[in-house]
Amino acid sequence: MIRDGKMRPGKSRHRRCLDKPPHGSVSRYQSGCRCDNCRSAKAAANRKHRAEYLAKYGRSLNYNSRKPSRGHRFVDNETRLRIYERDRWICQLCSGPVDPDLHWNDRMAPTLDHIECQSWSPVPDHSESNLRLAHRSCNSARHNRQ
């Protein structure tokens, strides 16, 4: 079992198939089995679902987005960099420098902030004149306020 916070070799935290039918199926994976056969079956089901979604909607399925229908990229990378350069890599909310080499999920990473918030209008304005550079933390703190 667990010794000094680590698992012993050969032990596992999940339930096993124990060769019960249907071994190597999605249903056994969903019930807690993580053997190689069940993981392979679940991966194949996921690939099939993604391919069907792509064929039906013409775009890939984005599991990380809260609203998959809208997606999270409203501005292409060239426009995004053009706005960052226009603002000289200075946060327009706190006037601090923004490091372009930070990981996208870092709290001080560059993001685009809408001057007129998306929630204020029925059709959000993603034009360059309505976007500005901001730190991720500054942008999150601003939320939908002026």
Side-chain angles (χ1 to χ4, degrees):
M1 295 299 199
I2 299 177
R3 177 185 66 209
D4 299 330
K6 297 181 181 178
M7 295 296 291
R8 289 184 187 168
K11 298 292 179 183
S12 130
R13 295 180 191 213
H14 60 79
R15 292 187 277 165
R16 291 195 173 93
C17 269
L18 303 175
D19 295 327
K20 293 180 183 176
H23 183 65
S25 67
V26 175
S27 62
R28 291 298 298 165
Y29 181 89
Q30 290 172 341
S31 67
C33 178
R34 297 296 184 266
C35 72
D36 291 339
N37 293 336
C38 291
R39 284 189 301 135
S40 297
K42 180 64 175 175
N46 285 344
R47 283 192 299 273
K48 179 182 175 191
H49 176 67
R50 283 179 178 271
E52 289 171 355
Y53 190 93
L54 180 63
K56 183 175 181 180
Y57 296 107
R59 59 185 173 81
S60 63
L61 184 61
N62 182 4
Y63 285 116
N64 297 326
S65 175
R66 288 187 181 175
K67 298 178 182 176
S69 60
R70 283 181 70 185
H72 66 285
R73 287 287 182 174
F74 50 86
V75 175
D76 60 279
N77 286 337
E78 292 173 1
T79 306
R80 182 178 296 272
L81 286 174
R82 200 167 42 246
I83 293 169
Y84 292 167
E85 293 296 327
R86 177 196 71 193
D87 293 340
R88 296 186 198 106
W89 293 95
I90 302 292
C91 176
Q92 301 300 302
L93 299 176
C94 73
S95 301
V98 179
D99 185 2
D101 297 325
L102 290 175
H103 185 267
W104 65 270
N105 203 22
D106 190 282
R107 59 182 293 274
M108 300 304 279
T111 61
L112 288 177
D113 176 48
H114 287 83
I115 297 169
E116 182 181 327
C117 298
Q118 294 183 65
S119 61
W120 293 358
S121 62
V123 179
D125 180 17
H126 300 308
S127 65
E128 289 186 40
S129 61
N130 191 43
L131 295 171
R132 60 186 172 186
L133 173 64
H135 290 117
R136 180 172 295 284
S137 60
C138 297
N139 199 355
S140 296
R142 178 175 174 258
H143 199 251
N144 67 347
R145 294 184 297 272
Q146 187 63 345

